[in-house]
Amino acid sequence: RAKTSGRNRVEMFDDALRERALTRLRLESDLRHAVEGRQFRLFYQPIVRLSDGSVAGFEALMRWFHPQRGMIPPSDFVHLAEETGLILKMGRWALVEATRQLAEWQGRFSPDLFMSVNVSGRQLMEDDLVAVVTETLDAHRITPGTLKLEITESLLLDDPGRCLGIMEALKRQDVKLSLDDFGTGFSSLSYLHRYPIGTLKIDRSFVRAAGESDRRSAIARIITLLAQALDLEVIAEGIEKETEADFLRGLHCQFGQGFYFSPPLPKEAVEELMDARSREREALAGLSALRG
Ligand code: C2E
Ligand code: MG
Ligand code: MG
Ligand code: MG
């Protein structure tokens, strides 16, 4: 009897494993099709100047529109894409598409707008990123210095020498580098002066309830001070509330990003927002001209 139930358990275990493996295989094969079939789109989240709320630039965020499952967020596929190496093709596409979009919006709205694109570890270390960037910048004319790449701290630890070489080559192309999710990785602050990093992005876990919880807001405050001391730009991620925005503005944190200002939007919605903003500005200018 014990034997039978033992065997049943083994079979159940096998079934669960098989099911998991199948699900993964299906997702992997779907992902391959998605790369061929252009099922990805970029959404753009505005990054605003905290001083006056104006839009300074955008972060490009990938979305997968699966023909059966609908929109799938990056948390459900980026990991698999990295494991399978599909991220290289996807990342290249995202870089070109975001740069093309930036060129268009700089012409239509403002030449100072910037675009920030997430780059995975494999992409930075394995793809010929410098060549891809060079080609992209040749194909799409943007204001120098307005393309930014977001990398995470952990990436810097893998192969520091090689990483530094790539980062310096990117810098020569006038491409800026941001450290994403800053404060959550294995921080050795020494890399902040060793690597050509231009921006720190304060992770949203430190922004959440900033101004309410003392310990968290202490971290947001110290990262802002650190950025100011090192002459780096600083962006607070994941601002959801007015109190959080106020607190960070009080610290003279330059930029903010989060649902409080805007969620990531499809391109058409960004254009509506930018048009509405410029109509507002014109109306205000007209009003003050009337008043003399
Ligand atoms: P991330 O680069 O840290 O991007 C910020 C994430 O925070 C985005 O999630 C964004 O939608 C979300 N977010 C923004 N404001 C708020 C807020 O106020 N509250 C909350 N709770 N969340 C907010 P998303 O778009 O789901 O992307 C998740 C992660 O996937 C990104 O984190 C990034 O690491 C990765 N990812 C996205 N697009 C790409 C890509 O094109 N390439 C690579 N390699 N990774 C990407
Ligand atoms: Mg990012
Ligand atoms: Mg982030
Ligand atoms: Mg994050």
Side-chain angles (χ1 to χ4, degrees), residues 222-232:
I222 211 76
I223 296 175
T224 306
L225 285 172
L226 181 67
Q228 289 160 351
L230 293 171
D231 210 12
L232 304 174

Side-chain angles (χ1 to χ4, degrees), residues 2-292:
K3 237 181 184 167
T4 345
S5 80
R7 188 155 50 234
N8 282 344
R9 248 199 317 273
V10 169
E11 276 167 13
M12 264 162 57
F13 184 62
D14 277 356
D15 281 350
L17 270 185
R18 198 176 303 123
E19 195 50 50
R20 261 232 300 272
L22 273 177
T23 305
R24 202 201 116 105
L25 270 178
R26 217 171 289 133
L27 191 65
E28 188 178 325
S29 116
D30 283 0
L31 197 58
R32 273 180 211 288
H33 277 109
V35 173
E36 306 303 327
R38 303 161 174 271
Q39 291 170 12
F40 298 104
R41 281 192 68 186
L42 291 178
F43 273 33
Y44 302 91
Q45 187 172 35
I47 296 174
V48 306
R49 295 183 189 86
L50 286 173
S51 55
D52 63 2
S54 60
V55 176
F58 305 91
E59 177 174 5
L61 294 157
M62 211 184 287
R63 298 289 181 266
W64 177 8
F65 288 86
H66 189 286
Q68 282 87 42
R69 293 171 55 192
M71 187 171 94
I72 305 180
S75 53
D76 291 357
F77 66 83
V78 166
H79 186 71
L80 183 63
E82 289 203 21
E83 265 179 36
T84 52
L86 287 167
I87 196 73
L88 299 182
K89 232 176 171 176
M90 291 159 62
R92 243 174 274 156
W93 168 79
L95 186 65
V96 176
E97 178 57 16
T99 308
R100 186 201 61 72
Q101 187 62 78
L102 178 63
E104 190 187 316
W105 285 345
Q106 284 183 341
R108 179 163 163 189
F109 302 115
S110 160
D112 315 323
L113 288 171
F114 66 77
M115 183 67 75
S116 202
V117 184
N118 292 282
V119 166
S120 83
R122 278 191 84 160
Q123 218 184 327
L124 185 77
M125 302 305 278
E126 287 173 36
D127 205 358
D128 194 353
L129 193 61
V130 182
V132 176
V133 164
T134 308
E135 262 174 52
T136 307
L137 292 178
D138 282 344
H140 303 286
R141 301 260 153 222
I142 58 167
T143 308
T146 55
L147 178 64
K148 303 184 184 219
L149 303 183
E150 297 192 8
I151 59 174
T152 54
E153 296 164 78
S154 53
L155 208 156
L156 302 178
L157 300 173
D158 288 352
D159 187 346
R162 191 168 140 65
C163 197
L164 183 62
I166 296 168
M167 289 167 87
E168 284 183 331
L170 289 170
K171 189 185 169 185
R172 284 193 290 276
Q173 300 285 332
D174 233 336
V175 171
K176 307 282 188 220
L177 291 164
S178 305
L179 272 184
D180 206 351
D181 309 331
F182 188 73
T184 60
F186 271 109
S187 308
S188 149
L189 293 179
S190 62
Y191 57 61
L192 285 181
H193 67 80
R194 228 182 313 134
Y195 294 100
I197 288 154
T199 305
L200 301 184
K201 297 194 76 175
I202 307 175
D203 189 68
R204 68 166 180 263
S205 58
F206 306 122
V207 168
R208 185 72 44 256
E212 287 168 25
S213 145
D214 280 351
R215 296 179 70 81
R216 276 166 202 250
S217 53
I219 298 176
R221 183 183 305 129
I222 211 76
I223 296 175
T224 306
L225 285 172
L226 181 67
Q228 289 160 351
L230 293 171
D231 210 12
L232 304 174
E233 289 184 348
V234 58
I235 301 176
E237 287 193 289
I239 297 181
E240 289 182 359
K241 295 192 213 150
E242 190 169 13
T243 49
E244 295 163 354
D246 289 344
F247 174 75
L248 287 146
R249 191 180 302 111
L251 297 177
H252 303 290
C253 173
Q254 268 167 305
F255 301 108
Q257 174 183 358
F259 298 164
Y260 173 66
F261 300 108
S262 167
L265 300 169
K267 117 192 194 86
E268 298 77 14
V270 169
E271 290 168 357
E272 275 169 35
L273 180 139
M274 296 300 280
D275 281 334
R277 290 273 182 121
S278 64
R279 276 196 303 275
E280 269 168 40
R281 268 198 309 277
E282 278 162 27
L284 280 175
L287 210 61
S288 51
L290 271 180
R291 284 187 181 138

